[in-house]
């Protein structure tokens, strides 16, 4: 393919950090509170309020949030948790860390989120929870999932690492499941460097989560002395720092704009690729408000003269930081070896994986960056047609 005038590398995602963010972190660094401190509570309250959730517990990463949620849901030896194969492996890894078995259910071909019909096919006497993922920022079919959970007495832990600010039937993600987890990794909607949060409506889960984040320490016997604490159940050090939460608070002031900008870029991509029949663009179901953590296109390989790999490499050669999200979790060697999963088990997830390319999308992308990506993608597709 004849090269365009090359722009500098455009990653698939990138944080936005401005002077306001820097000032709020510096202010905390100059204070007495470096690890736990008042900003942690403030950040929890701000995110909970934004999402309409009752309780929030901030932790050191999205993975820690998932792990804590599974632990307080009581996932343990012999339990099965139904989840999607199209996710970052942490979603399934934490189930295993708690002693449970991840049982995958195939995805819906359009939204790429877990298919409630497939969940029903995977239920067993050992199923304890359902762990849907709001893939790329599009909410999963939460009403249908909650209906199954209610019928069968299961807990729903929603992995909304991609979906802060997303809406499902007019309601913000964060209070639509028993527990909802968020990630604040730099490519997400807001960042604290590393960080995560669990949102819940349940006081019982909330109290257990706060204890789990801090080694399982319980201070309930003041008569024993000010130093006294006990461990009733094991926990981890999953604490987040005061200065990370100061960053999170300042990022929250920009969240609506971040989401608006992501949706603007997605709309421009949708418009530009609508005319190319070899490209399938992401859907947004009626009733869903997607927040485009990622913008994933699928290629109709049968209409192209090249494989996904060649198109991917061509875009990378033009400094477009395309990526692929994700190798279906059941195909990772660990999951094949330990749980006996194999190629062919989840045909829709596998078909999606073979055709997917993630294009850059993040608020800091300029209109020129967006037009460059469009131009190069169109050219690469034309070249291999
Ligand atoms: C769907 C999903 N769940 C969980 C995580 C884990 O989040 P973290 O990187 O904050 O640990 C990620 C991270 O990318 C993710 O994409």
């Amino acid at each position: 393919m004849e090269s365009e005038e090359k722009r500098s590398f455009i990653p698939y995602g990138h944080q936005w950090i401005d002077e306001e963010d820097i000032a709020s972190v510096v202010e905390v660094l100059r204070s007495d509170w470096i690890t736990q401190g008042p900003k942690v509570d403030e950040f929890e309250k701000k995110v909970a309020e934004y999402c309409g959730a009752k309780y929030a517990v901030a932790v050191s990463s999205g993975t820690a949030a998932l792990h804590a949620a599974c632990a307080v849901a009581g996932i343990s030896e012999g339990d099965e948790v139904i989840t999607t194969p199209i996710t970052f492996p942490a979603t399934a890894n934490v189930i295993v860390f708690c002693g449970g078995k991840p049982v995958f259910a195939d995805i819906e071909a359009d939204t790429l989120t877990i298919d409630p019909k497939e969940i029903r096919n995977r239920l067993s006497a050992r199923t304890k929870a359902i762990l849907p993922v709001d893939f790329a920022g599009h909410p999963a079919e939460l009403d249908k999932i909650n209906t199954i959970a209610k019928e069968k007495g299961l807990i729903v832990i929603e992995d909304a690492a991609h979906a802060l600010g997303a809406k499902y039937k007019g309601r913000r993600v964060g209070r639509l499941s028993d527990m909802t987890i968020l990630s604040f990794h730099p490519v997400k909607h807001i960042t604290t460097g590393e960080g995560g949060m669990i949102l819940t409506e349940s006081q019982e889960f909330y109290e257990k989560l706060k204890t789990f984040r801090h080694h399982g320490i319980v201070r309930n016997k003041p008569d024993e002395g000010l130093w006294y604490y006990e461990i009733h159940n094991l926990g981890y050090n999953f604490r987040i720092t005061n200065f990370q939460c100061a960053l999170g608070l300042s990022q929250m002031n920009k969240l609506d704009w971040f989401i608006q900008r992501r949706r603007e870029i997605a709309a421009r991509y949708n418009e530009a690729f609508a005319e190319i029949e070899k490209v399938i663009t992401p859907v947004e179901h009626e009733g869903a408000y997607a927040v485009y953590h990622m913008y994933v296109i699928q290629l109709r390989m049968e209409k192209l003269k090249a494989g996904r790999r060649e198109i991917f490499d061509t875009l990378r050669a033009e400094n477009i930081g395309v990526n692929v999200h994700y190798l279906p979790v059941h195909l990772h060697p660990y999951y094949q070896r330990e749980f006996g999963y194999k190629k062919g088990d989840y045909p829709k997830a596998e078909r999606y994986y073979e055709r997917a390319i993630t294009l850059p999308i993040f608020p800091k992308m300029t209109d020129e960056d967006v037009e460059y990506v469009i131009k190069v993608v169109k050219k690469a597709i034309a070249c291999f047609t």
Side-chain angles (χ1 to χ4, degrees):
M1 188 181 90
E2 207 178 297
S3 265
E4 286 294 322
E5 194 180 329
K6 226 181 251 176
R7 298 178 73 86
S8 53
F9 187 76
I10 307 172
Y12 86 86
H14 197 260
Q15 70 271 23
W16 173 296
I17 299 287
D18 59 22
E19 290 305 319
E20 185 198 44
D21 295 319
I22 293 166
S24 54
V25 173
V26 168
E27 186 193 327
V28 169
L29 290 175
R30 292 205 167 103
S31 79
D32 290 333
W33 303 96
I34 295 299
T35 174
Q36 296 286 275
K39 297 289 178 192
V40 180
D41 282 352
E42 246 183 83
F43 182 45
E44 288 171 341
K45 284 202 179 81
K46 194 154 185 167
V47 178
E49 199 174 292
Y50 183 85
C51 297
K54 200 160 184 183
Y55 302 107
V57 179
V59 290
S60 51
S61 69
T63 306
L66 278 167
H67 192 154
C70 285
V72 306
I75 309 301
S76 61
E77 212 61 41
D79 291 332
E80 294 181 355
V81 178
I82 301 180
T83 191
T84 168
I86 296 299
T87 184
F88 184 63
T91 313
N93 292 354
V94 296
I95 300 167
V96 185
F97 278 130
C98 290
K101 176 182 176 187
V103 172
F104 299 104
D106 214 344
I107 55 169
E108 294 189 314
D110 58 353
T111 63
L112 312 169
T113 60
I114 196 166
D115 182 343
K117 290 190 294 302
E118 296 290 337
I119 294 178
R120 283 199 184 274
N121 293 337
R122 303 283 165 179
L123 290 167
S124 85
R126 288 182 297 278
T127 309
K128 178 107 179 211
I130 307 173
L131 211 172
V133 175
D134 300 325
F135 180 76
H138 191 293
E141 267 304 338
L142 297 168
D143 277 356
K144 289 183 186 162
I145 292 168
N146 278 307
T147 302
I148 300 171
K150 222 175 235 164
E151 256 175 51
K152 306 289 176 189
L154 309 174
I155 294 168
V156 179
I157 301 168
E158 181 184 345
D159 182 341
H162 298 181
L164 173 57
K167 290 181 204 161
Y168 177 79
K169 298 186 180 171
R171 294 165 293 159
R172 268 208 184 113
V173 154
R175 62 184 164 105
L176 310 176
S177 303
D178 293 304
M179 283 179 270
T180 302
I181 78 93
L182 302 169
S183 161
F184 308 126
H185 177 274
V187 295
K188 304 298 191 320
H189 294 86
I190 61 161
T191 191
T192 55
E194 298 283 357
M197 196 175 280
I198 309 104
L199 302 168
T200 184
E201 300 302 287
S202 153
Q203 189 177 355
E204 184 191 339
F205 284 147
Y206 171 65
E207 282 165 8
K208 285 183 174 170
L209 288 163
K210 285 192 74 146
T211 308
F212 190 82
R213 147 177 98 175
H214 187 39
H215 304 282
I217 284 175
V218 179
R219 291 181 188 273
N220 62 348
K221 292 187 181 155
D223 292 348
E224 295 284 337
L226 281 177
W227 71 89
Y228 190 80
Y229 61 79
E230 292 172 351
I231 304 287
H232 296 192
N233 292 293
L234 292 183
Y236 284 86
N237 175 356
F238 279 166
R239 297 187 304 262
I240 190 168
T241 66
N242 207 33
F243 56 90
Q244 286 175 292
C245 290
L247 176 56
L249 277 163
S250 141
Q251 291 263 299
M252 280 300 286
N253 296 336
K254 298 178 268 278
L255 176 58
D256 282 336
W257 182 79
F258 286 162
I259 291 171
Q260 187 196 324
R261 179 66 185 145
R262 283 177 183 274
R263 286 180 59 85
E264 244 170 53
I265 297 169
R268 176 68 193 115
Y269 280 156
N270 285 344
E271 179 193 39
F273 300 134
E275 68 203 46
I276 311 176
E277 54 153 1
K278 284 119 199 152
V279 171
I280 301 168
T281 53
V283 302
E284 187 176 34
H285 265 191
E286 208 186 313
Y289 180 83
V291 287
Y292 297 95
H293 159 56
M294 299 190 291
Y295 187 91
V296 181
I297 57 168
Q298 293 177 72
L299 303 170
R300 288 190 210 275
M301 303 312 316
E302 63 286 359
K303 294 185 190 287
L304 289 163
K305 283 193 294 203
R308 190 260 308 268
R309 174 69 192 269
E310 283 162 282
I311 293 171
F312 182 100
D313 289 348
T314 303
L315 298 176
R316 272 289 177 103
E318 297 298 319
N319 272 348
I320 298 180
V322 282
N323 216 313
V324 173
H325 299 94
Y326 298 96
L327 172 67
V329 183
H330 68 284
L331 296 181
H332 282 283
Y334 173 83
Y335 285 93
Q336 297 203 40
R337 186 181 72 234
E338 298 296 323
F339 296 99
Y341 290 114
K342 57 185 185 317
K343 202 164 173 28
D345 283 348
Y346 300 97
K348 284 190 194 144
E350 291 171 25
R351 181 171 157 78
Y352 155 75
Y353 168 67
E354 281 157 15
R355 315 190 311 166
I357 295 187
T358 305
L359 299 183
I361 191 165
F362 52 96
K364 224 174 188 166
M365 263 183 104
T366 62
D367 288 344
E368 291 73 34
D369 290 335
V370 176
E371 294 309 319
Y372 177 73
V373 172
I374 291 169
K375 196 152 52 162
V376 176
V377 169
K378 281 187 170 176
K379 217 165 165 181
I381 301 285
C383 180
F384 291 115
T385 295

